[in-house]
Amino acid sequence: MKFKKQLADGVIYKNPVLVQLLGLCSMLAITTSISNAIGMGLAVTAVLTCSNLLISLLRKVIPEQIRIASFVVIISGFVTIVEMLIKAYLPDLNKSLGVFIPLIVVNCIILARAEAFASKNGPVASILDGITMGIGYTLALIVISAIRELLGNGTLAGVNIMGSSYKPMLIAILPAGGFIILGCLIAGMNKLLSMTGKKKKEPAHTGDTLVTEKKAKEGTENA
Amino acid sequence: MLKDILLIMLSCVLVENFIFSRFLGCCPFLGVSEKPGTALGMGCAVVFVMTLASAACNLVYNFILVRFHLEYLYTIAFILVIAALVQFIEMFLKRFVPALYSALGIYLPLITTNCAVLGAVILNMNNYSDMPLGQSFIYSVAFGFFAAVGFTLAIVIFAGVRARTEFSAPPRSFKGTPIALVTAGLIAMAFSGFSGISIG
């Protein structure tokens, strides 16, 4: 039951990207294709879960004054591990994500969850929090990259969707398009939240239906 | 050498602007760009820290990490250097230049988690670590300085535009960050005009 609530929070009501607006830098930079988005999402989820677990285990040991510094060291340790794994087993992904893998260290999501959740809750809840927030982050990344890849390249995860006569809308892949599409998505999310808020807080449905709804809506808006 | 520095300047400030083409430092870009004054304050603090961090991390990489074959620990080493440097600058300014401290004070702690600083340092390592020591040091410092100048330029321009959108009436769901992001996209479009300049 509690897990369900956490999942709904992570994916919709407190979605790290679309509602809390955390970690926008790496997000804008790597969402030019779905495969990048999935790779980055999984990397962040792994780091988030591990660092949440370790920080919540150490939460009584770390002194109050130097907690931020300790969090940063713990997080950068896990980022280094993830980076070495990606370098060893997925060299293509490493090449396309480039400098943004080590930059997971300064991704605000991880430090924010460490400070707001893991340093106050037990290890099991913290792991769940890491996983659900990670899922929310990954889904948001996938939605944005799907829109950008489809409009800017005519493909979806490398498969040609729009047919050969489609002239790619290059702006969607360029930085400018990234900013604009993200702005529209956040606005759509605001609209959605205010609409569901009016309906006397219906029990949350599963995340997928909402996300696909939103995606369809955004698709029509952008096209 | 001088020509290369000039090229670094042109590419960092305009063509490959940190915010508009590399997406580094978007969080403070959206966070403290409400007024041109605070944006300039943040920009100055970033110029200050990024130049010093580029120098410090270059030395740490070349003289500690490479010497002891610990290159793979660069993420941890750099973030620690940056955090310590920010703390040190804060203490130094508080003690010796109180006027500057009260101007930059609130922005300094934020810079530790600014991905532009760590990003610049890592890009320096990727691009310039194969050069002779002196040259790599000078190039790194120049890159850090000019990248920060580009960041400041972007954030000040954006704050100026944003001050005007405050008075306009966008659709309700667009209020706040979404309209700011769309605005940023339009400015980025203007900046992408510079990418027509070929460098090299």
Side-chain angles (χ1 to χ4, degrees):
Chain A
M1 196 60 210
K2 200 164 173 237
F3 177 73
K4 238 179 175 175
K5 189 183 165 293
Q6 269 188 329
L7 188 67
D9 268 356
V11 176
I12 308 163
Y13 299 108
K14 288 183 187 163
N15 186 301
V17 178
L18 298 176
V19 179
Q20 301 189 50
L21 310 178
L22 295 171
L24 297 183
C25 320
S26 54
M27 202 220 52
L28 283 165
I30 55 98
T31 50
T32 49
S33 77
I34 291 188
S35 52
N36 277 357
I38 294 175
M40 187 70 179
L42 291 183
V44 169
T45 309
V47 174
L48 188 57
T49 312
C50 296
S51 66
N52 260 5
L53 171 66
L54 193 61
I55 287 167
S56 101
L57 286 175
L58 294 175
R59 71 186 187 280
K60 297 204 174 97
V61 186
I62 298 173
E64 185 74 15
Q65 294 86 359
I66 57 157
R67 65 180 192 288
I68 300 285
S70 338
F71 294 167
V72 170
V73 174
I74 290 171
I75 294 168
S76 53
F78 283 117
V79 170
T80 307
I81 296 172
V82 167
E83 190 196 355
M84 288 160 97
L85 286 175
I86 293 180
K87 244 183 205 159
Y89 294 105
L90 301 163
D92 289 340
L93 186 68
N94 180 49
K95 213 181 244 170
S96 58
L97 294 183
V99 73
F100 288 96
I101 299 175
L103 283 181
I104 294 175
V105 177
V106 283
N107 194 324
C108 333
I109 295 174
I110 297 173
L111 202 58
R113 291 326 288 173
E115 170 75 12
F117 197 92
S119 62
K120 296 185 185 82
N121 288 285
V124 180
S126 300
I127 293 180
L128 288 182
D129 181 71
I131 294 174
T132 50
M133 284 290 157
I135 292 175
Y137 180 78
T138 312
L139 280 180
L141 243 62
I142 291 175
V143 170
I144 295 163
S145 63
I147 296 172
R148 289 182 73 183
E149 197 186 333
L150 193 64
L151 292 178
N153 214 1
T155 60
L156 217 51
V159 183
N160 196 328
I161 301 279
M162 304 289 253
S164 52
S165 61
Y166 177 69
K167 279 207 186 104
M169 201 173 114
L170 203 60
I171 186 86
I173 295 227
L174 292 177
F179 280 115
I180 294 175
I181 289 172
L182 180 66
C184 295
L185 266 178
I186 292 175
M189 196 72 182
N190 282 346
K191 185 87 186 155
L192 204 82
L193 284 184
S194 68
M195 266 159 53
T196 50
K198 265 177 208 161
K199 285 179 195 165
K200 288 178 196 166
K201 281 185 188 165
E202 276 185 352
H205 358 204
T206 54
D208 291 337
T209 54
L210 268 185
V211 170
T212 38
E213 254 174 52
K214 179 161 56 78
K215 197 171 129 192
K217 186 163 157 270
E218 284 309 314
T220 50
E221 262 180 34
N222 282 303
Chain B
M1 180 87 157
L2 204 63
K3 190 181 141 214
D4 285 344
I5 302 274
L6 210 68
L7 286 180
I8 290 178
M9 179 182 99
L10 212 64
S11 93
C12 286
V13 177
L14 297 177
V15 181
E16 294 199 304
N17 186 288
F18 250 46
I19 289 176
F20 291 130
S21 95
R22 289 188 199 264
F23 293 118
L24 292 169
C26 295
C27 303
F29 172 67
L30 293 169
V32 294
S33 57
E34 305 269 321
K35 288 188 208 131
T38 48
L40 195 62
M42 181 71 184
C44 293
V46 169
V47 171
F48 205 64
V49 172
M50 216 142 117
T51 315
L52 287 176
S54 299
C57 289
N58 184 274
L59 296 178
V60 165
Y61 184 77
N62 282 331
F63 290 101
I64 298 178
L65 295 185
V66 173
R67 175 154 308 168
F68 297 108
H69 303 290
L70 293 172
E71 288 96 335
Y72 60 91
L73 284 180
Y74 70 94
T75 318
I76 301 181
F78 288 170
I79 193 81
L80 285 179
V81 169
I82 293 170
L85 192 72
V86 170
Q87 197 80 52
F88 179 75
I89 292 173
E90 205 179 337
M91 281 169 6
F92 179 85
L93 289 182
K94 202 174 186 177
R95 177 82 178 75
F96 294 104
V97 202
L100 193 60
Y101 175 76
S102 57
L104 300 184
I106 39 170
Y107 305 113
L108 280 172
L110 291 177
I111 292 179
T112 313
T113 52
N114 181 340
C115 50
V117 180
L118 188 62
V121 170
I122 293 175
L123 286 174
N124 276 335
M125 181 195 76
N126 290 345
N127 295 339
Y128 303 128
S129 60
D130 299 333
M131 295 176 172
L133 289 183
Q135 197 187 7
S136 108
F137 182 76
I138 294 173
Y139 279 31
S140 300
V141 174
F143 184 84
F145 176 74
F146 288 119
V149 171
F151 175 87
T152 311
L153 179 73
I155 198 171
V156 170
I157 292 178
F158 184 60
V161 178
R162 207 172 166 183
R164 299 198 64 117
T165 61
E166 293 286 301
F167 298 109
S168 57
R172 212 175 59 212
S173 51
F174 268 93
K175 269 228 164 75
T177 314
I179 195 71
L181 279 167
V182 175
T183 317
L186 295 177
I187 303 177
M189 237 182 252
F191 264 81
S192 70
F194 288 115
S195 61
I197 305 173
S198 71
I199 286 196

